[in-house]
Amino acid sequence: MCYFDYTLYKRVKKITFILKISIPIIIIAYLFLYAFTPQSFITSKPKLIVINKGSSLKEIVYRLYNKKVINNPYLFYFIGFISGYSRYIQEGTYYISINESPAKIYHEIVNGRVATSKVSIAPGLNIFEIAEILSKNHITNKKLFLKKCYDKKFLLSIKLDAPSAEGFLYPDTYIFKINSNPKDVIKDMVNNFYLKTKKIKPNYKDLIIASLIIKEADEKLKNSTGFISSVIHNRLKINMPLDIDSASIYAMNVKMYKNYLRDGNAYNVILNMKPRYLKVKSAYNTYLHYGLPPTPIANPDIEAIEAAMHPAKTKYLYYISTKTGKTIFSDNLSGQIKNIDKYLK
């Protein structure tokens, strides 16, 4: 004879009911705890993670796991799947750390909070120097940036009718996205140039002269830009060679860049003058060619541009840079020789 234990039945039913309620609660609580808890409390540097357009959630999770910024790919994937985040993830390059919670990581990549880098472009840097800075800060590819600086079709699309972007990349502090399209970087810098110069409206000749000034000017002497501008203008008036070292250095950089495009050989930006640069066959060599170089040789700031447009009224034809960086001027060759003997020997 079989006896039915009603008390036991009620107890089992109660336990079953509790389990049906508690197990989902425990699972939800665990997922919630995982989602909002940093995956590691050991301080670690953020890593650059690239999310390409059209990447699936599975591909993204796999990349994050390989970069060791998540420790449980299955739970991370599950949260992204059930939350619907996978449909809203934006392409871009992100700084992600294992010290972040999964919820924070999803928040960043869903809202497109891409990694950025703050860079300062000093007055007087040329496109080759700027390309190096941008590359070192992971902002854009050096080779692609320089190619776009010479891309006539692209330059015309941003209303820049010039042989290159040289002279139009305004020196300033910028915040760029990591792995930016070089077109966007150039466009931002050129737009800044137009914004800063809209009141004075320099022409192309002004920019060429301004670029020579900014390369030659004494940073410690504020009014040296006006004096150097007067030397350039005075020499141009009497058809006297400009004899500017900075232009010869630029000629070598242009030559090195062309070799780089042709042969693929790595190169470093040339910064210092050497005697052999005086003989380089180039339109930028102002020792061999009269008049101005064909393009700017650097990117000047507003002060240099204004100095080019409004030179100081002097009779100066010569100047030297002393060992301390000061610029000394003279209006004749004998004065120049005396200054050389006094300050450079």
Side-chain angles (χ1 to χ4, degrees):
M1 188 174 181
C2 181
Y3 292 96
F4 179 75
D5 190 335
Y6 186 71
T7 303
L8 179 62
Y9 169 75
K10 287 182 69 177
R11 188 177 299 170
V12 170
K13 189 175 181 181
K14 185 177 181 180
I15 292 172
T16 303
F17 177 75
I18 292 171
L19 288 175
K20 283 182 179 180
I21 294 175
S22 61
I23 288 176
I25 291 174
I26 291 170
I27 292 173
I28 292 170
Y30 178 75
L31 289 174
F32 187 86
L33 185 66
Y34 169 77
F36 291 94
T37 302
Q39 298 170 93
S40 175
F41 291 96
I42 300 173
T43 304
S44 178
K45 286 185 178 181
K47 295 181 180 179
L48 279 176
I49 307 294
V50 178
I51 296 178
N52 298 316
K53 188 176 182 179
S55 294
S56 67
L57 179 60
K58 186 177 180 180
E59 290 171 333
I60 294 168
V61 172
Y62 181 75
R63 188 170 296 130
L64 293 173
Y65 183 66
N66 278 345
K67 287 283 188 176
K68 298 181 180 179
V69 293
I70 60 172
N71 52 23
N72 192 322
Y74 304 106
L75 282 179
F76 192 89
Y77 177 90
F78 183 71
I79 288 174
F81 180 77
I82 63 169
S83 64
Y85 282 153
S86 57
R87 291 174 292 175
Y88 304 105
I89 293 174
Q90 298 187 40
E91 64 175 306
T93 302
Y94 298 84
Y95 273 123
I96 297 176
S97 170
I98 198 169
N99 300 127
E100 297 175 306
S101 67
K104 186 177 180 182
I105 293 173
Y106 272 118
H107 180 73
E108 290 174 357
I109 62 179
V110 165
N111 288 282
R113 295 189 174 181
V114 295
T116 59
S117 182
K118 185 177 181 180
V119 291
S120 292
I121 305 300
L125 297 182
N126 58 45
I127 57 174
F128 307 107
E129 294 170 296
I130 292 173
E132 290 281 354
I133 292 171
L134 296 175
S135 177
K136 286 179 181 177
N137 285 275
H138 309 290
I139 291 170
T140 195
N141 179 276
K142 178 174 72 173
K143 187 174 183 179
L144 293 179
F145 175 81
L146 288 172
K147 277 190 173 182
K148 288 303 171 185
C149 281
Y150 284 102
D151 187 335
K152 186 71 174 178
K153 186 177 179 181
F154 163 65
L155 295 178
L156 287 173
S157 74
I158 58 173
K159 300 178 181 179
L160 186 57
D161 188 9
S164 75
E166 193 75 89
F168 296 91
L169 305 181
Y170 195 81
D172 208 339
T173 298
Y174 296 89
I175 297 177
F176 291 119
K177 294 179 181 178
I178 298 296
N179 289 338
S180 290
N181 187 319
K183 290 182 179 180
D184 296 332
V185 175
I186 295 169
K187 187 176 180 180
D188 284 350
M189 298 181 79
V190 170
N191 285 342
N192 193 22
F193 166 84
Y194 285 130
L195 180 66
K196 294 289 173 58
T197 61
K198 65 179 180 180
K199 290 184 179 180
I200 60 174
K201 296 180 180 179
N203 59 37
Y204 198 58
K205 180 182 176 181
D206 294 329
L207 290 183
I208 295 175
I209 295 174
S211 72
L212 297 172
I213 293 169
I214 199 67
K215 277 296 191 183
E216 297 288 298
D218 178 8
E219 294 179 1
K220 298 176 183 178
L221 192 62
K222 291 183 178 179
N223 61 353
S224 68
T225 54
F227 290 147
I228 290 176
S229 180
S230 72
V231 171
I232 294 170
H233 280 89
N234 291 341
R235 285 193 170 214
L236 290 173
K237 285 177 184 177
I238 61 174
N239 199 30
M240 182 179 181
L242 296 180
D243 293 351
I244 292 178
D245 290 354
S246 301
S248 296
I249 295 172
Y250 189 79
M252 288 301 299
N253 277 306
V254 171
K255 183 179 179 180
M256 293 288 286
Y257 174 64
K258 288 180 178 178
N259 291 340
Y260 170 62
L261 289 180
R262 186 184 67 244
D263 305 326
N265 297 328
Y267 78 98
N268 294 317
V269 178
I270 298 170
L271 300 174
N272 299 313
M273 185 65 178
K274 292 183 179 180
R276 62 187 177 89
Y277 298 167
L278 299 177
K279 298 179 181 180
V280 64
K281 294 180 180 179
S282 169
Y284 291 98
N285 188 337
T286 56
Y287 285 89
L288 300 180
H289 294 270
Y290 289 79
L292 294 171
T295 73
I297 64 168
N299 295 277
D301 58 10
I302 194 71
E303 287 78 11
I305 296 171
E306 288 180 332
M309 298 173 71
H310 308 287
K313 294 181 179 180
T314 76
K315 294 182 179 180
Y316 292 148
L317 291 172
Y318 300 89
Y319 61 85
I320 61 167
S321 294
T322 67
K323 294 176 182 179
T324 59
K326 190 175 181 180
T327 306
I328 307 297
F329 297 87
S330 58
D331 54 14
N332 55 62
L333 184 57
S334 62
Q336 175 78 340
I337 293 172
K338 287 179 181 178
N339 287 335
I340 291 172
D341 290 337
K342 182 178 180 180
Y343 295 102
L344 299 180
K345 291 185 178 180

